[in-house]
């Protein structure tokens, strides 16, 4: 490897460039999601996230103040105001008062309103409407402006997802429920699978090979097959829908991979070590706890990451085995779907919720990632 | 590892507080023009202290909240403790729950086809004796609501299972009154005028329609609404009924004519925003936003009564945007047909509270509380239209109660593989110019034959 990279700089550059290319390719969607999570629904639907990072020229439809705010100055009725608030630094290039011709006038020009009177708009959005008769109606006049606006972002989405107190919008309960599901659903399969893997790797008993083959075979069975029968079974034995049910389901569905992964890793540990221990009079349980478990830590950790991520992101198993119509048990993924709305159009909430929900898996991943690479190779080389 | 988890959890707890908010009594008892007498009478007659009720439905976020507010009144009146859970995948979840035996007490179906399936499998309980007669007498076009809620059970006998609650009207065209004013356009009263108006808009250099058919896995449904609406405007309602029940084949010339009629609106580059072949790529939730562009991308948008939820934030209905009835042809003399859809309550796991709730839904009060919140229409004749939260909703409610012909969304009544399958995909094929109307119609018919 090293001499390829060392003697052929051109190839090394190709490798580097491809790595950079791949990283950028993978990061762009996440970046887009991140930017979108700081934009309003209207912004998301009107322009792409990549354009929101720079000042942009926009066509806006704004409205003057209501006629009831008019004042009488020297016999002329006047409505005055600003189209943009003080902290918005917009520069108007053209404006208009009819949807027929939205960029009819330069800033500073004066035109006649259809319902009587005149209007003028300056470059920063101050307008003045004058009329010799009283302005009528209860709506302000529409003013169309073409303006250069600085990038605008909002924390509103995060506020809505995290802080909103109304029942459908609160994330806190779902967060704790998800932890309640995820932590036991990660620990239980590891406990069970570690014992099974040791037995399958190092204890001689008839039919061991067949058992291993059966476990490997179970890897390819889709869990969807088991949903209704398993739920029926849970209801029959009285577990019903609830945390115990969802822990058992996750344990069951995660078990084949856990046993397969751990068994292959443990089978790769040096035989001498275990035989020495046997000669020294250690029991099987002592060998397991004193030798195998510490040595298998990378494999255990990597499976824990797999299982944690999968249960954290799971929606299907939670919906079937946990969430009932009492509404007391819900998980983050389900809450995110609820936030999307009845017809699922709230993209800004989706982007935000994705980042909120990604937070814990990221922490878990970075805390344990050094084991992941080692664990990924678990059992693949002897 | 554990520390960071706990730290994260604690941070969330601090940030979010922990409030399990329920629905709230949005109007104090006795306040406003609601039917408080009816509410009191129901409360006096019903005592469910200690009982609980679970309701499962399709409404999420804002709409779910509105319904929870109604449930709060039910709890207040009866002392029961009720809960509502919404899901976007109700269709799949209720099948699993019903099959496994863990169904909620009441299930709100977004369309009758699926409820009919569950009734057929014996998972639904018929509504109380006399419910059908009550609907017939108290709902506008009562008989049609009874027919829509009547399904076959496992033994093949008909029973009344579905109580329609929360209806939407589809025959609406949305527009911006001030844009019409700027151009001097009038709201068309007949389909002839509507078409003339579209030509006038093209002449003025404007685009008449925003059309968007994309909706994830359900892409194409807005087009099926168009076709159904035009079917009702080109053929008598009896023909519509025959079409929906497949007595008349899908590839009948009358159906092909309706599809082509739809094409005359949307398969024309002059009439729609963008390329006419691309309507299936525009999300239906984004398409109405063209009305609000500056300058306007389009002048009109035909869509159901729920679409204002996707108007830009702060849009004031009735002032910033308004609707008119999608007109009928003057020359065809078919009256004012209205296409609609709605959700229906069914009993999936009976208990005393579920029976009481179905009685509660009959009170005008239950409808009035929902009317006072956005996005709810009712055909209940006893509910006071004054309680609608705004004029736009009231206007839609009137369209519903005054319709000479009301027909339910046909694709919801067809078998699932057609109404939620080949009809959608067929319309996408037609809208993108890949296939002509006759080919699409005959393909849909053959999928229907296969589904029988």
């Amino acid at each position: 490897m090293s001499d390829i990279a060392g003697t052929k700089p051109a190839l090394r550059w190709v490798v580097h460039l491809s790595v950079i290319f791949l990283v950028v390719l993978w990061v762009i969607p996440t970046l887009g999601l991140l930017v979108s999570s700081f934009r309003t629904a209207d912004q998301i639907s009107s322009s792409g996230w990549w354009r929101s990072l720079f000042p942009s020229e926009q066509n806006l439809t704004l409205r003057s103040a209501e006629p009831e705010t008019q004042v009488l100055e020297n016999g002329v009725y006047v409505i005055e105001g600003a189209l943009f608030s003080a902290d918005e630094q917009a520069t108007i290039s053209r404006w208009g008062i009819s949807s027929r011709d939205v960029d009819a006038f330069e800033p500073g020009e004066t035109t006649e309103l259809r319902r009587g009177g005149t209007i003028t708009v300056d470059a920063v959005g101050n307008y003045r409407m004058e009329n010799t008769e009283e302005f009528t109606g209860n709506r302000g006049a529409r003013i169309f402006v073409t303006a250069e606006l600085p990038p605008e972002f909002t924390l509103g989405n995060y506020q809505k997802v995290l802080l909103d107190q109304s029942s459908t919008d609160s994330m806190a309960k779902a967060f704790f429920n998800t932890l309640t599901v995820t932590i036991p659903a990660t620990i239980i399969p590891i406990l069970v699978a570690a014992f099974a893997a040791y037995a399958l790797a190092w204890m001689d008993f008839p039919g061991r090979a067949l058992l291993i083959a059966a476990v490997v075979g179970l890897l390819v069975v889709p869990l969807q097959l088991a949903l209704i029968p398993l739920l029926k079974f849970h209801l029959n034995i009285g577990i019903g829908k609830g945390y115990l049910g969802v822990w058992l389901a996750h344990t069951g569905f995660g078990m084949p991979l856990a046993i397969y992964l751990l068994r292959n890793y443990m089978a790769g540990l040096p035989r001498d070590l275990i035989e020495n221990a046997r000669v020294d009079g250690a029991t099987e349980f002592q060998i397991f706890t004193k030798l195998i478990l510490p040595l298998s830590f990378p494999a255990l950790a990597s499976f824990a990451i797999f299982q944690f991520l999968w249960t954290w992101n799971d929606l299907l198993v939670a919906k079937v085995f946990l969430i009932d119509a009492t509404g007391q048990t819900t998980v983050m993924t389900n809450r995110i779907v609820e936030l999307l709305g009845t017809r699922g159009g709230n993209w800004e909430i989706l982007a935000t919720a994705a980042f909120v929900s990604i937070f814990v898996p990221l922490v878990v991943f970075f805390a344990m990632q050094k084991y992941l690479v080692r664990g990924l190779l678990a059992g693949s080389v002897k | 590892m554990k520390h960071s988890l706990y730290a994260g959890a604690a941070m969330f707890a601090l940030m979010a507080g922990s409030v399990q908010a329920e629905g709230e009594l949005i109007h104090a008892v006795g306040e406003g023009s609601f039917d408080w007498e009816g509410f009191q009478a129901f409360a006096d007659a019903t005592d469910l202290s200690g009982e609980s009720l679970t309701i499962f439905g399709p409404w999420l976020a804002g709409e779910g909240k509105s319904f929870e507010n109604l449930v709060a009144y039910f709890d207040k009146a009866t002392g029961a403790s009720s809960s509502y859970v919404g899901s976007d995948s109700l269709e799949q979840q209720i099948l699993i729950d019903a099959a496994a035996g863990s169904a909620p007490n009441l299930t709100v179906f977004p369309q009758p086809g699926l409820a009919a399936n569950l009734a057929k499998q014996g998972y639904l309980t018929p509504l109380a004796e006399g419910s059908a007669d009550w609907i017939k007498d108290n709902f506008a076009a009562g008989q049609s609501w009874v027919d829509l809620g009547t399904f076959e059970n496992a033994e093949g006998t008909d029973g009344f299972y579905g109580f329609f609650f929360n209806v939407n009207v589809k025959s609406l065209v949305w527009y911006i009154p001030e844009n019409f004013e700027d151009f001097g356009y009038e709201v068309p009263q007949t389909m002839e005028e509507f078409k003339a108006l579209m030509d006038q808009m093209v002449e003025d250099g404007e685009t008449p329609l925003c059309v968007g058919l994309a909706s994830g896995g359900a892409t194409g449904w807005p087009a099926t609404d168009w076709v159904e609406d035009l079917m009702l405007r080109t053929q008598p309602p009896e023909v519509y009924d025959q079409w929906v029940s497949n007595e008349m084949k899908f590839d009948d010339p009358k159906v092909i004519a309706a599809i082509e009629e739809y094409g005359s609106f949307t398969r024309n580059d002059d009439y729609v925003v963008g390329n006419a072949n691309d309507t299936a790529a525009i999300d239906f939730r984004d398409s109405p936003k063209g009305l609000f562009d500056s300058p306007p991308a389009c002048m009109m948008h035909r869509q159901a009564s729920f679409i204002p939820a996707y108007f830009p934030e702060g849009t004031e209905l009735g002032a910033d945007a308004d609707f008119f009835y999608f007109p009928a042809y003057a020359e065809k003399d078919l009256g004012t047909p209205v296409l609609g859809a709605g959700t229906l309550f069914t009993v999936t796991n009976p208990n005393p509270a579920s029976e009481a709730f179905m009685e509660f839904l009959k009170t005008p009060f239950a409808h009035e509380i929902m009317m006072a919140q956005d996005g709810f229409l009712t055909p209940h004749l006893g509910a006071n239209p004054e309680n609608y939260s705004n004029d736009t909703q009231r206007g839609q409610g009137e369209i519903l109660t005054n319709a000479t012909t009301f027909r339910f969304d046909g694709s919801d009544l067809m078998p699932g593989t057609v109404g939620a399958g080949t009809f959608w995909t067929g319309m996408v094929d037609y809208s993108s110019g890949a296939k002509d109307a006759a080919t699409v119609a005959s393909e849909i018919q053959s999928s229907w034959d296969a589904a029988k």
Side-chain angles (χ1 to χ4, degrees):
Chain A
M1 279 302 280
S2 63
D3 56 15
I4 296 177
T7 56
K8 295 182 182 167
L11 194 60
R12 194 174 58 194
W13 277 106
V14 169
V15 171
H16 283 191
L17 284 177
S18 344
V19 167
I20 291 170
F21 173 74
L22 285 176
V23 167
V24 169
L25 202 66
W26 278 85
V27 166
I28 281 181
T30 318
L31 186 67
L33 209 59
L34 180 68
V35 173
S36 295
S37 73
F38 291 102
R39 307 181 76 206
T40 65
D42 294 343
Q43 285 174 325
I44 290 176
S45 67
S46 66
S47 69
W49 61 267
W50 55 93
R51 289 170 63 187
S52 72
L53 301 171
F54 311 101
S56 61
E57 191 172 80
Q58 295 176 16
N59 288 320
L60 302 171
T61 309
L62 304 166
R63 211 174 264 285
S64 72
E66 287 86 30
E68 63 189 37
T69 62
Q70 62 191 310
V71 289
L72 194 56
E73 283 178 18
N74 307 327
V76 183
Y77 291 93
V78 175
I79 302 177
E80 261 186 319
L83 293 171
F84 297 100
S85 63
D87 51 343
E88 283 177 301
Q89 288 159 347
T91 320
I92 295 174
S93 57
R94 304 290 298 181
W95 61 279
I97 52 165
S98 163
S99 56
R100 279 196 106 124
D101 199 357
V102 297
D103 50 7
F105 311 107
E106 298 262 351
E109 278 187 274
T110 303
T111 186
E112 281 185 20
L113 287 161
R114 192 171 41 214
R115 289 189 184 152
T118 59
I119 181 169
T120 179
V121 178
D122 73 9
V124 293
N126 296 319
Y127 63 90
R128 181 180 170 90
M129 294 160 70
E130 289 179 4
N131 197 350
T132 48
E133 286 160 40
E134 213 172 326
F135 287 101
T136 53
N138 51 15
R139 303 277 288 165
R142 286 199 298 178
I143 302 171
F144 300 88
V145 299
T146 307
E148 178 100 351
L149 287 168
E152 198 190 339
F153 298 103
T154 171
L155 286 173
N157 302 330
Y158 284 90
Q159 247 164 13
K160 182 158 188 220
V161 170
L162 293 173
L163 303 182
D164 202 303
Q165 294 294 320
S166 76
S167 75
T168 43
D169 290 1
S170 160
M171 235 8 175
K173 195 178 152 69
F175 179 83
F176 286 110
N177 287 348
T178 305
L179 283 182
T180 316
V181 170
T182 309
I183 295 173
T186 308
I187 293 171
I188 300 172
I190 291 180
L191 282 181
V192 180
F195 283 107
Y198 173 70
L200 290 174
W202 290 110
M203 288 164 75
D204 275 322
F205 56 90
R208 190 176 74 162
L210 273 181
L211 260 180
I212 296 171
V215 168
V216 174
L218 280 174
L219 277 174
V220 300
V221 177
L223 69 92
Q224 286 84 348
L225 272 181
L227 295 181
I228 293 180
L230 200 55
L231 181 59
K232 259 187 185 163
F233 174 70
H234 282 182
L235 293 170
N236 283 340
I237 61 172
I239 297 176
K241 285 184 153 204
Y243 288 117
L244 188 56
V246 78
W247 293 337
L248 290 180
H250 274 307
T251 304
F253 294 138
M255 198 60 77
L257 179 70
I259 294 177
Y260 173 71
L261 201 78
L262 295 178
R263 184 255 161 209
N264 280 11
Y265 187 89
M266 289 177 189
L269 295 173
R271 172 175 291 273
D272 303 346
L273 207 62
I274 289 143
E275 281 176 358
N276 275 345
R278 286 218 176 102
V279 169
D280 289 346
T283 62
E284 295 285 351
F285 187 72
Q286 279 171 327
I287 297 174
F288 177 70
T289 50
K290 298 260 163 68
L291 277 178
I292 302 286
L293 272 191
L295 286 174
S296 306
F297 192 68
L300 294 174
S302 71
F303 174 74
I305 295 178
F306 282 137
Q307 180 74 3
F308 182 87
L309 293 183
W310 141 247
T311 48
W312 183 271
N313 290 326
D314 163 73
L315 178 63
L316 179 68
V317 174
K319 277 205 168 189
V320 174
F321 294 101
L322 178 65
I323 298 166
D324 56 15
T326 62
Q328 292 306 306
T329 48
T330 185
V331 290
M332 295 265 280
T333 43
N334 191 49
R335 176 73 15 124
I336 292 170
V337 173
E338 281 176 21
L339 285 172
L340 278 181
T342 310
R343 289 175 190 82
N346 304 343
W347 306 125
E348 78 286 7
I349 295 297
L350 180 70
T352 310
F355 269 89
V356 170
S357 141
I358 228 172
F359 175 72
V360 173
L362 275 186
V363 169
V364 171
F365 181 80
F366 284 116
M368 300 179 79
Q369 58 111 9
K370 63 179 170 188
Y371 303 112
L372 187 64
V373 181
R374 269 197 266 165
L376 275 177
L377 299 171
S380 63
V381 281
K382 284 211 172 178
Chain B
M1 189 26 239
K2 259 205 173 132
H3 283 297
S4 53
L5 270 187
Y6 288 145
M11 202 178 80
F12 262 84
L14 284 177
M15 277 155 65
S18 56
V19 177
Q20 170 59 15
E22 296 280 319
E24 50 191 308
L25 305 179
I26 45 171
H27 298 276
V29 173
E31 194 182 84
S33 53
F34 302 105
D35 177 25
W36 292 109
E37 282 173 27
F39 175 73
Q40 204 50 53
F42 176 79
D44 293 342
T46 327
D47 180 22
L48 294 167
S49 313
E51 297 278 343
S52 67
L53 173 68
T54 54
I55 307 170
F56 186 41
W59 306 304
L60 298 170
E63 284 175 295
K65 180 81 188 152
S66 302
F67 180 68
E68 279 175 1
N69 292 339
L70 175 67
V71 172
Y73 281 99
F74 176 75
D75 284 358
K76 164 112 178 130
T78 62
S81 81
S82 313
S83 63
Y84 166 76
V85 168
S87 167
D88 70 321
S89 51
L90 181 131
E91 289 89 341
Q92 293 80 25
Q93 265 181 287
I94 189 63
L95 278 174
I96 293 173
D97 276 337
S102 59
N105 300 125
L106 296 174
T107 302
V108 191
F109 286 96
Q111 42 118 323
L114 183 70
N117 285 349
L118 280 160
K120 183 97 191 154
Q121 294 170 45
Y123 294 133
L124 300 189
T125 310
L127 300 185
E129 203 84 355
S131 293
D133 289 335
W134 184 90
I135 297 269
K136 206 183 294 176
D137 298 340
N138 289 282
F139 272 19
Q143 185 60 48
S144 58
W145 294 111
V146 173
D147 294 345
L148 288 166
T150 303
F151 311 123
E152 257 182 31
N153 65 7
E155 287 83 45
T157 47
D158 278 347
F160 183 61
Y161 291 95
F163 186 107
F164 276 86
F165 188 77
N166 199 351
V167 173
N168 60 58
V169 173
K170 301 211 175 218
S171 307
L172 303 178
V173 180
W174 297 88
Y175 73 109
I176 311 260
E178 285 165 305
N179 286 355
F180 268 43
E181 221 172 275
D182 285 345
F183 285 85
Y185 299 146
E186 297 284 333
V187 167
Q189 303 300 322
T190 64
M191 188 59 93
E192 288 85 352
E193 284 178 29
F194 187 83
K195 290 189 163 174
L197 177 62
M198 290 207 301
D199 289 330
Q200 178 65 42
M201 288 170 178
V202 174
E203 212 170 285
D204 292 344
E206 295 300 313
T207 309
L209 295 172
C210 277
V211 181
L213 309 182
S215 175
T219 296
W221 71 258
T224 66
D225 285 0
W226 268 94
V227 172
E228 288 153 11
D229 242 341
L230 290 166
M231 195 75 192
L232 286 172
R233 278 157 185 73
T234 51
Q235 302 295 337
E238 297 74 38
V239 175
Y240 182 89
D241 294 339
Q242 290 167 5
W243 171 51
V244 167
S245 62
N246 208 222
E247 267 171 66
M248 181 179 77
K249 296 286 177 200
F250 209 108
D251 47 4
D252 192 277
K254 290 172 185 163
V255 185
I256 296 174
I259 297 178
E260 276 166 353
E261 184 82 20
Y262 159 71
S264 76
F265 288 92
T266 65
R267 300 278 307 121
N268 182 334
D269 281 339
D270 287 341
Y271 284 169
V272 297
V273 170
N275 186 326
N277 287 340
D278 294 342
T279 51
I282 301 172
D283 196 288
F284 85 96
R285 292 161 285 228
D286 288 340
S287 58
K289 291 184 172 122
L291 291 170
F292 300 89
D293 281 357
S294 158
C298 63
M299 302 301 274
M300 299 183 288
H301 180 64
R302 196 219 69 97
Q303 189 53 279
S305 50
F306 56 73
I307 199 67
Y310 299 102
F311 287 173
E313 213 167 304
T315 303
E316 198 177 307
L317 288 186
D320 293 338
D322 209 344
F323 72 92
F324 58 83
Y325 166 72
F326 187 46
Y329 286 98
E331 58 169 37
K332 302 221 189 226
D333 200 22
L334 291 169
T336 52
V338 171
L339 183 73
T343 50
L344 67 162
F345 271 80
T346 60
V347 180
T348 35
N349 195 355
N351 70 354
S354 69
E355 280 163 29
F357 195 86
M358 296 311 284
E359 285 304 311
F360 182 58
L361 291 183
K362 291 180 186 171
T363 61
F365 175 81
H367 295 254
E368 287 169 355
I369 283 291
M370 292 298 288
M371 287 154 84
Q373 310 183 70
D374 278 345
F376 180 89
L377 301 176
T378 179
H380 194 310
L381 296 167
N384 183 355
E386 257 178 53
N387 288 312
Y388 276 118
S389 68
N390 56 49
D391 286 342
T392 309
Q393 247 180 300
R394 198 167 6 259
Q396 293 165 0
E398 273 163 20
I399 289 181
L400 196 61
T401 39
N402 296 340
T404 57
T405 310
F406 180 87
R407 281 297 177 274
F408 202 83
D409 186 337
S411 58
D412 284 351
L413 301 174
M414 296 172 186
T417 47
V418 179
T422 51
F423 195 3
W424 290 346
T425 52
M427 290 318 296
V428 172
D429 288 342
Y430 176 71
S431 302
S432 62
K435 290 172 185 164
D436 66 8
T439 318
V440 165
S442 69
E443 281 178 8
I444 298 173
Q445 179 56 40
S446 50
S447 77
W448 203 326
D449 292 336
K452 275 178 191 167

